[in-house]
Amino acid sequence: MPDPRLAAFVIGDYQGWREWSAAPVFRPQLPVIMVPVILNLGPGWRIGAPDVPWGAPQAFDSFTAGLHDGIATTWSGGDAACLQINLTPLALHHLARQDMQGLANRTCDLADLLGPDVLDLVARLRGTPDWPARFALVDGWLLPRLAPHAPENEVTWAIRRLRRSHGRAAIGDLAADLGWSRKRLIQRFRTEAGLPPKVIARILRFNRMLALLEDAKGRSLAELADIAGYCDQAHFNRDFRAFARTTPGEYLAARRPMAH
């Protein structure tokens, strides 16, 4: 787990992992409301952007990605190692010091976005022999960059409300509770999160449906769609195709990593 002073900026725990495969590993990356930061400790990656996920992928070493509203793809050479940090959108907004709308649906080289001292951090991580020491290095790098900032602002509060309701909180109610117009709410979301609140709500509802699909307990798709807050199964099917570019059945059949 990260240092407690970083709890408002880091979602969940730090993740360190390695994998070995005789062939390159391809993964579809579905939309989520968090910002993954990949500190690469092994060979590089190839990433397909959400707007052209099956097109010619770009090569990356350490990287991050803004919020996206479509599927992206990653390829590793089969021998991968990295340390992953999942940040809130506000945390990346603080680190990058730029409008998050410009990072939406984009994968960015981490050093280009955050500065060359990231390269020093990655070099130190690669020279550190164990995961606890690596996690301590990440704490030491993030603390002076994030801890001085307020842990929450209006947009973070609104995203937390949306997250708790799995995207079912009304956008008009969020604006009214903040004393803002809908126009101001949408603009602040674009600046500090990258996507408008309605899209973030749809992604959270979609993520809720993915969790239900993994533990369906014999319930039909129509029943699960109702639990997740969709008007009907057709509504759910449209969102699933928009975010995953596949059907629920095809997704369930191919949800595990595939070697090619």
Side-chain angles (χ1 to χ4, degrees):
M1 294 297 294
D3 184 287
R5 290 168 289 178
L6 295 169
F9 303 104
V10 180
I11 298 174
D13 51 10
Y14 298 140
Q15 302 168 27
W17 57 276
R18 289 190 61 93
E19 71 177 9
W20 295 268
S21 171
V25 177
F26 159 84
R27 285 183 175 85
Q29 305 288 349
L30 298 177
V32 291
I33 305 304
M34 66 181 185
V35 175
V37 174
I38 302 298
L39 300 168
N40 190 40
L41 308 180
W45 299 80
R46 292 184 296 144
I47 312 292
D51 52 345
V52 284
W54 316 114
Q58 292 181 272
F60 287 93
D61 191 62
S62 296
F63 63 90
T64 188
L67 296 186
H68 56 281
D69 58 8
I71 189 171
T73 53
T74 63
W75 288 262
S76 72
D79 181 8
C82 75
L83 193 155
Q84 179 167 340
I85 311 163
N86 296 321
L87 296 178
T88 66
L90 181 64
L92 186 61
H93 182 59
H94 289 321
L95 289 173
R97 300 178 185 177
Q98 64 176 268
D99 190 323
M100 289 292 288
Q101 188 171 0
L103 301 180
N105 290 308
R106 282 185 57 206
T107 302
C108 305
D109 179 272
L110 204 57
D112 289 346
L113 184 66
L114 303 184
D117 58 343
V118 170
L119 298 177
D120 177 65
L121 172 64
V122 172
R124 293 168 65 199
L125 291 171
R126 287 175 173 169
T128 301
D130 60 76
W131 289 112
R134 292 178 184 135
F135 297 144
L137 281 176
V138 171
D139 267 346
W141 193 87
L142 286 176
L143 275 168
R145 291 166 173 80
L146 289 177
H149 295 284
E152 183 174 273
N153 66 0
E154 296 91 344
V155 170
T156 307
W157 173 87
I159 291 175
R160 182 158 50 85
R161 281 275 301 272
L162 288 170
R163 194 184 297 278
R164 286 179 175 175
S165 68
H166 303 295
R168 302 179 78 165
I171 304 306
D173 290 345
L174 294 178
D177 289 345
L178 289 168
W180 290 356
S181 66
R182 290 176 67 98
K183 181 178 180 181
R184 184 181 181 191
L185 181 73
I186 292 169
Q187 185 54 52
R188 285 285 299 271
F189 260 73
R190 288 186 182 277
T191 299
E192 296 173 26
L195 296 175
K198 187 174 181 179
V199 175
I200 287 178
R202 287 176 58 210
I203 292 171
L204 290 169
R205 182 174 56 197
F206 171 70
N207 289 167
R208 169 66 169 157
M209 187 65 177
L210 292 181
L212 291 170
L213 284 172
E214 295 290 345
D215 189 23
K217 298 179 179 177
R219 294 170 294 196
S220 68
L221 281 178
E223 290 174 303
L224 297 177
D226 180 65
I227 293 169
Y230 289 96
C231 298
D232 51 35
Q233 189 176 337
H235 180 203
F236 158 64
N237 287 339
R238 288 194 299 273
D239 259 17
F240 206 99
R241 283 194 174 277
F243 291 134
R245 296 196 181 187
T246 189
T247 67
E250 290 167 343
Y251 163 77
L252 288 172
R255 67 188 183 275
R256 300 204 178 278
M258 297 173 287
H260 289 267

